[in-house]
Amino acid sequence: MKATLLSYNLPEDHLRHLRFLCLRMGIVLRPVPPEEWGLPLSVLAGLTEDEGERPVPEGTIPGTMLVMCGFSGSMVNSLLSAMRQARLPAVALKAILTPSNAAWSSTFLHAQLLEEHQALQQGRTPAHEQQ
């Protein structure tokens, strides 16, 4: 699988700089439009076939979000480092595509990441770590 970065709601200037970084690193940058937020992440990443069905997304993604698909650990670190060096605005909600979240929609992943981010900001243990 070719490393793919799914992006959500990035401003055009941010997207342009990120596209350049991804090109240099051999990463495919794929902005995900709102009409695709209901699709499974595996479809968006190109791992499974798009059956043509367009489920209505449950909820919205009001801020920015990134999902790294097919990244090695070093590639994650390299991309994040390159983003910092380029002084791109921080994206608080980031995830790595895993077998556990591949069937999730973008809006469901966003809700999970937002809950975890808020828990960490408040000094609480995220729900998934309490189990």
Side-chain angles (χ1 to χ4, degrees):
M1 171 187 171
K2 178 116 173 112
T4 302
L5 182 64
L6 304 177
S7 67
Y8 299 81
N9 298 328
L10 295 180
E12 189 55 44
D13 60 328
H14 187 167
L15 202 54
R16 188 174 51 253
H17 286 96
L18 189 55
R19 189 172 280 118
F20 177 73
L21 289 177
C22 287
L23 183 64
R24 281 191 4 213
M25 297 178 71
I27 298 168
V28 174
L29 177 61
R30 185 182 186 294
V32 181
E35 59 271 13
E36 293 183 349
W37 292 353
L39 294 173
L41 294 169
S42 61
V43 169
L44 297 174
L47 294 176
T48 57
E49 288 295 314
D50 180 357
E51 298 173 0
E53 191 176 311
R54 293 286 182 256
V56 176
E58 295 180 19
T60 63
I61 300 175
T64 59
M65 180 172 79
L66 297 173
V67 181
M68 295 165 262
C69 312
F71 278 51
S72 66
S74 63
M75 189 177 275
V76 170
N77 292 334
S78 294
L79 177 65
L80 296 178
S81 177
M83 288 173 65
R84 279 190 298 277
Q85 288 175 350
R87 296 199 168 122
L88 290 178
V91 176
L93 303 182
K94 296 180 280 298
I96 296 174
L97 184 70
T98 67
S100 299
N101 64 19
W104 294 1
S105 69
S106 299
T107 52
F108 185 80
L109 174 65
H110 179 268
Q112 298 301 306
L113 289 175
L114 188 59
E115 182 180 310
E116 182 175 300
H117 182 71
Q118 290 171 343
L120 291 171
Q121 283 187 318
Q122 296 169 0
R124 295 182 289 123
T125 303
H128 76 275
E129 291 183 12
Q130 294 175 4
Q131 299 170 355

